[in-house]
Amino acid sequence: MASTREDTPESTPSLPDSREPPALARIPDLEPEGCAQSLETAPKKLCGYLSKFGGKGPLRGWKCRWFFYDEGKCHLYYSRTAQDANPLDSIDLSSAVFDCKVAAEEGTFEIKTPSRVITLKAPTKQVMLYWLQQLQMKRWEFHNSPRAPPAALDPTLAGNGPALHLDLGQGEEAALEEFLCPVKTPTGLVGVAAALQPAPAMPSALHNISLKHLGTEIQNTMHNIRGNKQAHGTGHGPLVEESPQSGGPQREEQPSGPEPSTPGREPADSPKAVPKSSVPTNVTQKAKRQSNTFPFFSDGLARTRSAQEKVVALEQQVLMLTTELQSQKELVKILHKALEAAQQEKRASSAYLAAAKDKDRLELVRHKVRQIEELSRRVEALEQEREHLAHEAGLREQQVQELQQHVQLLMDKNQAKQQVICKLSEKVTQDFTQPPGPPSTDDRDFLSQQERMEHLKDDMEAYKTQNRFLNSEIHQVSKIWRKVAEKEKALLMKCAYLQARNCQVESKHLAGLRRLQEAAAGTEAHAFSDLLRQLVQEALQWEATEGSADPMGLNPVSEYDEYGFLTVPDYEVEDLKLLAKIQALEVRSHHLLGLEAKERPLRERWSAIDELAPSAELKQMLRAGVPREHRPRVWKWLVHRHVQHLHTPGYYQELLGRGQACEHPAARQIELDLNRTFPNNKHFTCPTSSFPSQLRRVLLAFSWQNPAIGYCQGLNRLAAIALLVLEDEESAFWCLVAIVETILPADYYSKTLTASQVDQRVLQDLLSEKMPRLVAHLGQYRVDLSLITFNWFLVVFADSLISDILLRVWDAFLYEGTKVVFRYALAIFKYNEEEILRLQDGLEIYQYLRFFTKTICDSRKLMNIAFNDMNPFPMKQLQQLRAAHRERLEAELRELERLKAEYMERRASWGRTLPESYASEEDGEGEA
């Protein structure tokens, strides 16, 4: 039945490290004298016979299988019998959950894995609970087993900053909470003792065969037959014990079983079992060989069996082989029928090919067509039968639901029946005190009620047991999930920290190269120029291919950010390229270090908000920044608050239709500015991108919406930012309308840009109030900040800040208005105040102010300066400053118009009083 060799402790491989199937795992060899005692003291193995529901078609049903648990792999293997050499398949328990249903048959439970659901049935309820508890324990032991310690960190990185202390192995609780009392081991039904019992009988031997694993079945059958032939062909000696002089146990070679992952496959080069030439001379040695085919018997146990037990075992094996032979005959009959059908098809094809006339062939074809029609009718009949069965199944499901409702109703009425029971108990007591008489109708009702109550009590106990088990299962699965989630979170934090440290080290390296390049620009430049140029070029090279091929995504800096902007812009000056890459590395470092501490809690807060409503909490969350996945939804809500009085369905399409009917005067200027919109963004530079055409339609629609403005330079960048975030051109159009017509002052984009000029003077006053040292320093070198800050206000920092900081500014700007622009403008100067104060030349200050906003990498620090350090910042003060400066500016513009009119009048008077001898250029050319 199984292997015919006698395994020794030295030659028997362990299950996790070898390819030996679980059914071949054996308990240690026992001495003949202490066989019974050794069986009791041997380590308990989780194994036994269970019924598995499976199969297809007429063979679908319960199949008896021998199950065996592998400690090393957390797999539950199963085969047809305990004597099989190869397992049919295995069940991975590491990620499985277990369930038992009261409504199912007694002893039925389920093992649910991510890929399938296995339904098993134990002989009794106690055996079912024992298996469930043991499987839970094995799964917990597997997950709680110690893992290999993580590799030590590189000591070179340890000195770059404070070490990150992570405790990946959290201490487990000393004792698990008990939900279900421990179930006693069922005697003779599980473990090694179950192997001594014959396999449970099945209604039909063919139903117990696994056609899915037919190769493994054939291998096991041949292996068992070969083992029986070797066992029965050893002579018929007297039934006496083997003498010590007969020699030691004889050993034979046995091929290793196939891998559990590929049941039924046997290696081609596996050695065949070669029996030894020596023949045993008594039945005891024959019985010893026979016992070796049983995986869970030891040699000592086989020697002590009586002759009667051996005869009974042989008879059982003969019955089992007879049953298997019958099943194999039935299988051969099925295969013969399939072969006859194939041969009949072949004969029909040969007759068609052998027909000499087309008429004969046509008759054969017609015969086949009639057969096809008959088969089609059969298929239709079967389809109707299937629909009928499906309908019946639906009716059965409805009946099951009704029965479940009925059970629930019975449970609800249980309390009321308790009172009835009390009354009936009192009546029974009275009846017992009275002399017996003939049973009345009330007595019969009482007995029936009492019987029903017993059934209800049994149901309640079953539900309680199921509830306790399911609570235990949920508790253990939750603990395993929580432990895995904590480990994953700790590893992500560690990974983010290491990436941040890597970015910091690389930025320090680039900054050192830049300072060395500046220092070597003197007299010794010829000695370092080539080396420095090579190092700088290597530092500026992008490794996009390596970064994209990295499956873990650990490349510190990618070429484009999440909105398509170049992380390191392609500047013409090499020094600016170096500064841009340093800034990109610093941004990445700050983002990684703040991911767990600030970004993750912020994402959780935004995810918890279902409906947006104005509040102080929402204002603080918008100032902290909106996560990318929530930004489109939040911006659409913010824009709708500003334009809900203007928004009408279909209005945007109407404006586009108006633009197709006739060309707007601003269309030419819009077309010129399209190619100059964000040259560092791949969405507007790629020839196949749809963003430029969407931007064109948005700007043309706005020019028809607001004829007073039409188009002004800067509107293209505002609309482009809205398109990148909202990804919908109609939403981007309304966002542009909200900014220009409701958030910013009315004449911000007029021909005179009056409101824009007013805001520049207001900013100058606020700078004098908040940062007097900086204003004095800039005034000393006659630096006009409006040359730099005018574009900040006109496009709301679209060209100045990196995308991560820019969109955080817009988050607050769309909610609070232009006050946010003033706050961030002051914060930018405060952020770089010390660097500006160190510059001692006006031209050098202008060069620094051209790109210094791109060096800001810490968005959290900038936000704290804008909304905390710049307080108080009342809107009333801002309105007063705007009104005062607007009055002065309008007076200056009126004076300028007056001077212009006087000049034009004087010029006209000069034309009337020209001397007669004066000849214009036109007159001279005419005479020539």
Side-chain angles (χ1 to χ4, degrees):
M1 303 278 277
S3 172
T4 59
R5 102 182 148 172
E6 296 180 359
D7 295 330
T8 60
E10 293 81 3
S11 64
T12 303
S14 61
L15 180 64
D17 299 330
S18 68
R19 294 187 177 182
E20 186 178 4
L24 294 179
R26 302 181 181 180
I27 59 176
D29 291 341
L30 306 176
E31 295 298 329
E33 296 80 9
C35 175
Q37 291 83 352
S38 301
L39 267 177
E40 295 176 358
T41 58
K44 293 184 178 179
K45 293 181 177 293
L46 182 57
C47 54
Y49 280 104
L50 293 173
S51 296
K52 178 179 177 294
F53 190 79
K56 293 183 178 180
L59 300 181
R60 184 169 179 81
W62 293 103
K63 301 178 185 294
C64 179
R65 295 289 181 259
W66 172 261
F67 284 83
F68 179 84
Y69 177 73
D70 178 8
E71 299 280 351
K73 296 182 180 179
C74 197
H75 279 224
L76 186 66
Y77 293 89
Y78 61 88
S79 58
R80 193 155 57 91
T81 63
Q83 292 81 14
D84 288 348
N86 302 322
L88 296 177
D89 204 348
S90 64
I91 304 170
D92 185 7
L93 301 181
S94 59
S95 57
V97 295
F98 314 112
D99 188 14
C100 64
K101 301 183 183 300
V102 175
E105 298 182 29
E106 181 180 1
T108 304
F109 62 99
E110 293 180 350
I111 301 177
K112 299 180 181 180
T113 66
S115 59
R116 56 176 177 161
V117 178
I118 302 94
T119 304
L120 305 176
K121 183 168 67 174
T124 63
K125 180 179 179 182
Q126 182 186 7
V127 176
M128 177 195 73
L129 294 177
Y130 175 82
W131 272 95
L132 288 172
Q133 276 194 342
Q134 292 297 319
L135 291 176
Q136 280 186 332
M137 186 185 307
K138 299 298 183 183
R139 182 189 60 193
W140 174 250
E141 290 175 355
F142 177 78
H143 281 284
N144 208 27
S145 59
R147 297 290 189 271
L153 294 178
D154 190 355
T156 58
L157 292 177
N160 294 330
L164 180 68
H165 299 285
L166 296 172
D167 187 13
L168 298 180
Q170 304 269 341
E172 298 294 335
E173 297 177 358
L176 296 175
E177 182 180 356
E178 292 291 342
F179 289 93
L180 190 64
C181 297
V183 180
K184 295 182 179 180
T185 305
T187 306
L189 296 179
V190 294
V192 177
L196 301 175
Q197 306 295 331
M202 299 300 294
S204 175
L206 186 60
H207 281 74
N208 203 31
I209 294 177
S210 176
L211 296 179
K212 181 180 180 182
H213 309 284
L214 190 58
T216 306
E217 290 276 8
I218 295 173
Q219 286 184 7
N220 289 333
T221 304
M222 297 303 298
H223 195 281
N224 296 337
I225 294 173
R226 185 168 61 248
N228 284 314
K229 285 182 179 180
Q230 293 174 359
H232 287 286
T234 56
H236 302 278
L239 297 175
V240 295
E241 293 294 333
E242 183 182 8
S243 61
Q245 288 80 8
S246 62
Q250 299 182 4
R251 310 181 184 279
E252 296 175 356
E253 295 296 329
Q254 175 194 6
S256 300
E259 293 184 4
S261 60
T262 59
R265 297 183 57 188
E266 185 173 1
D269 57 347
S270 61
K272 300 296 180 180
V274 181
K276 206 167 183 180
S277 60
S278 61
V279 180
T281 58
N282 51 45
V283 179
T284 306
Q285 193 161 353
K286 179 178 72 175
K288 181 177 70 174
R289 271 208 182 90
Q290 184 178 350
S291 67
N292 282 334
T293 64
F294 203 89
F296 299 102
F297 278 101
S298 64
D299 295 338
L301 181 60
R303 296 191 189 100
T304 58
R305 297 179 65 185
S306 64
Q308 183 178 0
E309 292 176 348
K310 295 173 185 176
V311 172
V312 171
L314 290 175
E315 290 177 354
Q316 290 178 355
Q317 289 185 0
V318 168
L319 291 175
M320 187 181 300
L321 288 175
T322 305
T323 306
E324 290 181 357
L325 181 61
Q326 184 66 25
S327 63
Q328 295 294 336
K329 287 181 178 179
E330 294 180 8
L331 181 61
V332 168
K333 290 179 181 178
I334 294 174
L335 295 177
H336 273 302
K337 290 181 180 179
L339 181 59
E340 289 177 0
Q343 289 178 350
Q344 185 178 0
E345 184 69 23
K346 182 179 178 181
R347 285 195 297 270
S349 301
S350 300
Y352 178 79
L353 295 175
K357 297 181 180 180
D358 293 341
K359 183 178 181 180
D360 297 335
R361 293 187 177 182
L362 183 58
E363 183 62 29
L364 291 174
V365 171
R366 289 175 178 172
H367 178 65
K368 288 296 180 182
V369 169
R370 287 193 294 270
Q371 290 181 347
I372 292 172
E373 291 177 353
E374 182 179 359
L375 291 175
S376 299
R377 288 193 296 271
R378 291 182 182 178
V379 169
E380 291 177 357
L382 291 175
E383 184 66 24
Q384 293 177 359
E385 184 179 358
R386 186 188 65 80
E387 293 178 355
H388 178 67
L389 291 176
H391 179 67
E392 287 186 354
L395 295 178
R396 296 295 183 187
E397 290 181 358
Q398 293 179 0
Q399 291 178 0
V400 169
Q401 293 179 357
E402 292 176 357
L403 290 175
Q404 289 178 350
Q405 295 176 358
H406 183 63
V407 170
Q408 184 65 32
L409 182 61
L410 291 177
M411 293 180 65
D412 293 338
K413 293 180 178 179
N414 188 30
Q415 186 65 29
K417 290 182 179 180
Q418 291 290 342
Q419 300 176 0
V420 176
I421 291 172
C422 294
K423 294 180 180 179
L424 292 175
S425 300
E426 294 177 358
K427 187 176 181 180
V428 167
T429 305
Q430 294 176 2
D431 292 340
F432 280 143
T433 57
Q434 295 176 358
S440 62
T441 306
D442 296 336
D443 295 337
R444 288 193 296 271
D445 293 341
F446 168 72
L447 293 175
S448 63
Q449 291 290 338
Q450 189 175 11
E451 185 178 358
R452 291 181 62 187
M453 285 303 302
E454 292 297 331
H455 289 308
L456 290 175
K457 288 180 180 179
D458 293 340
D459 292 342
M460 289 179 62
E461 289 298 325
Y463 278 114
K464 289 179 180 178
T465 304
Q466 182 195 26
N467 186 40
R468 287 195 297 269
F469 168 73
L470 292 180
N471 287 338
S472 174
E473 177 71 7
I474 293 170
H475 174 72
Q476 290 197 13
V477 172
S478 299
K479 289 193 66 177
I480 292 172
W481 175 83
R482 194 183 306 113
K483 185 176 181 180
V484 172
E486 290 175 356
K487 287 184 179 180
E488 181 182 7
K489 183 178 180 181
L491 288 174
L492 288 175
M493 291 177 61
K494 183 178 180 180
C495 182
Y497 173 78
L498 292 177
Q499 289 188 55
R501 297 301 300 162
N502 182 37
C503 292
Q504 292 177 359
V505 170
E506 190 173 353
S507 65
K508 290 178 182 178
H509 167 68
L510 295 179
L513 282 178
R514 180 171 176 270
R515 287 195 292 269
L516 187 60
Q517 190 177 25
E518 293 175 353
T523 56
E524 300 180 356
H526 60 281
F528 300 99
S529 58
D530 294 338
L531 178 60
L532 284 175
R533 188 179 300 107
Q534 181 181 359
L535 290 175
V536 171
Q537 289 177 356
E538 291 178 356
L540 290 176
Q541 278 183 348
W542 285 104
E543 299 176 358
T545 56
E546 297 181 4
S548 61
D550 185 5
M552 296 293 292
L554 297 179
N555 193 27
V557 182
S558 59
E559 188 174 2
Y560 293 94
D561 64 5
E562 54 189 5
Y563 288 100
F565 289 96
L566 273 173
T567 310
V568 179
D570 190 14
Y571 293 118
E572 297 179 358
V573 183
E574 188 179 77
D575 193 31
L576 294 181
K577 290 183 181 179
L578 199 59
L579 286 175
K581 188 164 185 180
I582 293 172
Q583 178 260 348
L585 289 168
E586 290 293 334
V587 170
R588 179 66 174 167
S589 174
H590 286 292
H591 175 71
L592 290 171
L593 289 176
L595 184 63
E596 288 293 329
K598 298 181 176 62
E599 296 296 334
R600 194 177 298 277
L602 185 62
R603 280 189 171 89
E604 293 176 356
R605 291 177 63 188
W606 278 108
S607 300
I609 298 178
D610 295 331
E611 295 184 1
L612 297 170
S615 63
E617 181 184 5
L618 180 64
K619 178 194 285 189
Q620 296 301 323
M621 292 173 64
L622 288 170
R623 289 180 175 183
V626 183
R628 186 180 188 275
E629 58 269 21
H630 299 286
R631 186 167 279 139
R633 175 175 67 96
V634 175
W635 278 29
K636 287 180 181 179
W637 178 78
L638 293 173
V639 169
H640 181 71
R641 290 180 65 244
H642 293 289
V643 298
Q644 56 185 347
H645 62 286
L646 301 173
H647 188 279
T648 55
Y651 182 64
Y652 176 71
Q653 300 299 329
E654 179 184 345
L655 293 176
L656 291 180
R658 191 184 305 175
Q660 292 175 356
C662 60
E663 185 178 2
H664 194 277
R668 184 178 179 183
Q669 185 61 39
I670 291 174
E671 201 65 34
L672 292 175
D673 282 354
L674 283 179
N675 296 326
R676 293 181 288 189
T677 303
F678 294 140
N680 291 325
N681 191 291
K682 64 180 180 181
H683 295 301
F684 293 97
T685 55
C686 179
T688 60
S689 176
S690 61
F691 278 81
S693 58
Q694 293 179 359
L695 180 61
R696 179 188 297 109
R697 290 193 292 270
V698 170
L699 295 176
L700 286 174
F702 180 80
S703 63
W704 288 105
Q705 151 71 19
N706 194 330
I709 297 176
Y711 175 75
C712 177
Q713 287 186 350
L715 297 181
N716 59 326
R717 281 159 285 186
L718 296 177
I721 293 294
L723 267 177
L724 289 174
V725 175
L726 299 173
E727 300 179 354
D728 175 24
E729 59 180 87
E730 184 173 358
S731 300
F733 164 76
W734 288 113
C735 182
L736 182 62
V737 172
I739 293 173
V740 176
E741 298 188 7
T742 62
I743 300 177
L744 294 176
D747 50 355
Y748 219 80
Y749 296 95
S750 62
K751 294 182 180 180
T752 59
L753 301 175
T754 304
S756 302
Q757 297 184 55
V758 169
D759 280 355
Q760 295 305 307
R761 300 189 181 191
V762 173
L763 177 63
Q764 188 68 29
D765 288 352
L766 295 174
L767 277 171
S768 302
E769 177 187 349
K770 305 289 184 181
M771 286 169 278
R773 283 198 310 149
L774 179 64
V775 173
H777 180 74
L778 296 176
Q780 179 182 355
Y781 295 100
R782 300 182 180 277
V783 175
D784 185 6
L785 287 180
S786 63
L787 299 177
I788 305 298
T789 59
F790 190 85
N791 189 59
W792 293 3
F793 283 72
L794 200 63
V795 298
V796 195
F797 301 104
D799 291 332
S800 306
L801 298 172
I802 61 174
S803 61
D804 181 62
I805 301 177
L806 170 66
L807 296 176
R808 291 173 186 265
V809 174
W810 277 53
D811 292 337
F813 165 71
L814 292 176
Y815 184 75
E816 300 183 51
T818 53
K819 181 173 64 173
V820 174
V821 182
F822 284 99
R823 282 184 176 274
Y824 272 100
L826 296 173
I828 289 171
F829 284 110
K830 188 68 176 178
Y831 191 99
N832 299 273
E833 183 178 12
E834 298 301 326
E835 286 77 4
I836 298 175
L837 291 176
R838 282 196 291 267
L839 301 177
Q840 302 297 325
D841 181 73
L843 181 60
E844 188 177 2
I845 292 174
Y846 273 117
Q847 291 179 348
Y848 179 75
L849 293 179
R850 283 178 53 204
F851 67 88
F852 82 112
T853 55
K854 295 287 187 179
T855 63
I856 299 175
C857 54
D858 192 347
S859 59
R860 295 290 170 183
K861 178 181 176 182
L862 185 66
M863 182 197 70
N864 288 329
I865 296 174
F867 294 106
N868 297 327
D869 297 350
M870 293 296 108
N871 283 334
F873 204 96
M875 191 64 187
K876 184 177 180 180
Q877 177 188 4
L878 185 61
Q879 293 174 351
Q880 291 175 353
L881 290 174
R882 274 179 167 172
H885 284 290
R886 188 182 189 88
E887 185 177 351
R888 297 192 190 99
L889 180 61
E890 290 177 350
E892 293 174 1
L893 291 175
R894 286 195 298 270
E895 181 65 21
L896 183 61
E897 289 293 332
R898 186 183 64 79
L899 294 175
K900 182 179 178 180
E902 291 179 357
Y903 170 74
M904 296 302 296
E905 185 178 353
R906 286 198 304 272
R907 184 174 180 179
S909 63
W910 292 344
R912 290 191 300 268
T913 58
L914 285 175
E916 295 179 359
S917 59
Y918 177 78
S920 65
E921 293 181 1
E922 289 81 0
D923 294 341
E925 290 175 358
E927 292 175 358

